[in-house]
Amino acid sequence: MVKITFQQVAGQKPEKEKDGDKAEILIPCQHEELVLPLRSKRSPLSGLCCLTFGLVVFMSALVLASIYVYRYYFIPQQDPEDNLFHCRVLYEDSIYAPLRGRQELEENVGIYLKDNYEQISVPVPHFGGSDPADIIHDFHRGLTAYHDIALDKCYVIELNTTIVMPPRNLWELLINVKRGTYLPQTYLIHEEMVVTGRVRNMRQLGAFIYRLCKGKETYRLKRRGSHRRIDKREARNCHSIRHFENTFVVETAICEEA
């Protein structure tokens, strides 16, 4: 039951209180039932799936973080001696293989990860037919410079990333084969370049190539579209440098304009 009482409004004269002055109205009130929402029961299988998915995501993030730390923190902190390699590789020249058999190429490799460049020194080869050279692959500038020691001239060309491994990849390759003296036996490929003109402004080549070619005649090169066999007349104006910055050996023929 609900009890409602009417009281006298303020400002009216008070009258004698009588038992019947107060009007009371009683209204019956129905009892309301309070209904609480029921929680749906979750299957134990769905909880197990969520837990498994969370573990997979966590382990994947952990693996990716480990790879990132190794490649971008641990490798650059290596001892400088770990960035210098003395390598010898055995390879076969498909043209002269029946006559000479397997040949050997020796070179010193310096890999500078922070500065993003490679420096290669090729001594005088034992078999001849190739010039000793110092080579720089500057990945920051996108340039390659060859210093032909026999001619004491420098040649500059755009970096060929299909042949030259990036510093980090080459470093990992040489670290993996450091247990032995020789790289796995490999093969030889040929590339041919032609001189296009003299370089006047050496500083535009970057600090590393500038240091290599300072005080030397320096020329620009361009690649010939397709490799062709060099005849005897052209061979007089061509000089070859054999080197490797990958899993194969490259013979770079540098030819003067006719």
Side-chain angles (χ1 to χ4, degrees):
M1 300 289 288
V2 177
K3 183 178 180 181
I4 301 177
T5 303
F6 294 93
Q7 295 183 354
Q8 189 175 13
V9 180
Q12 294 181 352
K13 293 182 179 181
E15 297 180 358
K16 293 183 179 180
E17 295 182 356
K18 297 180 180 180
D19 294 337
D21 288 341
K22 294 182 179 180
E24 295 182 355
I25 301 176
L26 299 178
I27 301 175
C29 180
Q30 296 181 354
H31 295 284
E32 296 182 357
E33 295 182 357
L34 181 62
V35 180
L36 297 177
L38 297 178
R39 293 183 179 179
S40 59
K41 295 182 179 180
R42 291 185 178 179
S43 172
L45 184 60
S46 62
L48 182 61
C49 292
C50 292
L51 179 61
T52 304
F53 178 75
L55 288 175
V56 170
V57 172
F58 174 76
M59 293 302 297
S60 301
L62 185 62
V63 170
L64 292 176
S66 301
I67 294 174
Y68 178 86
V69 170
Y70 174 76
R71 289 178 65 90
Y72 295 96
Y73 178 78
F74 177 75
I75 290 179
Q77 299 298 325
Q78 293 295 312
D79 192 320
E81 293 183 357
D82 290 338
N83 294 337
L84 302 176
F85 302 88
H86 178 76
C87 306
R88 290 196 296 268
V89 59
L90 297 175
Y91 66 96
E92 288 187 356
D93 185 347
S94 58
I95 299 176
Y96 299 103
L99 300 176
R100 298 181 179 177
R102 294 191 305 174
Q103 300 182 54
E104 178 185 284
L105 178 63
E106 182 178 357
E107 69 179 27
N108 296 311
V109 182
I111 302 175
Y112 304 92
L113 299 176
K114 290 184 179 180
D115 296 319
N116 203 24
Y117 81 98
E118 304 162 0
Q119 184 165 2
I120 296 168
S121 178
V122 183
V124 179
H126 301 291
F127 56 85
S130 176
D131 290 349
D134 292 321
I135 305 169
I136 284 183
H137 300 295
D138 189 340
F139 279 77
H140 179 68
R141 292 276 181 171
L143 295 172
T144 292
Y146 302 91
H147 172 218
D148 190 317
I149 297 175
L151 302 176
D152 197 25
K153 293 181 180 179
C154 267
Y155 302 93
V156 181
I157 194 170
E158 291 182 0
L159 178 63
N160 186 357
T161 55
T162 60
I163 290 179
V164 182
M165 273 189 173
R168 193 176 302 277
N169 299 66
L170 183 60
W171 185 89
E172 291 177 353
L173 172 67
L174 297 182
I175 284 292
N176 290 332
V177 298
K178 196 174 182 180
R179 298 175 183 176
T181 305
Y182 287 89
L183 287 171
Q185 183 176 337
T186 184
Y187 56 94
L188 176 71
I189 67 172
H190 302 267
E191 64 175 357
E192 188 177 332
M193 304 176 184
V194 61
V195 176
T196 59
R198 184 87 177 261
V199 176
R200 302 296 179 183
N201 185 3
M202 298 290 296
R203 295 190 179 276
Q204 67 180 350
L205 304 177
F208 309 120
I209 295 179
Y210 175 80
R211 189 163 56 239
L212 175 69
C213 299
K214 181 181 179 182
K216 304 175 181 66
E217 294 181 14
T218 304
Y219 300 89
R220 285 199 176 273
L221 300 173
K222 70 175 181 180
R223 292 181 178 85
R224 283 184 172 163
S226 59
H227 177 72
R228 55 190 178 84
R229 186 180 295 276
I230 301 173
D231 58 30
K232 293 182 179 179
R233 182 180 178 182
E234 289 180 311
R236 297 175 184 175
N237 296 324
C238 295
H239 300 269
S240 296
I241 300 172
R242 292 191 178 185
H243 51 98
F244 68 93
E245 308 87 357
N246 209 311
T247 56
F248 47 82
V249 176
V250 180
E251 181 180 66
T252 301
I254 300 175
C255 301
E256 301 287 343
E257 288 183 320

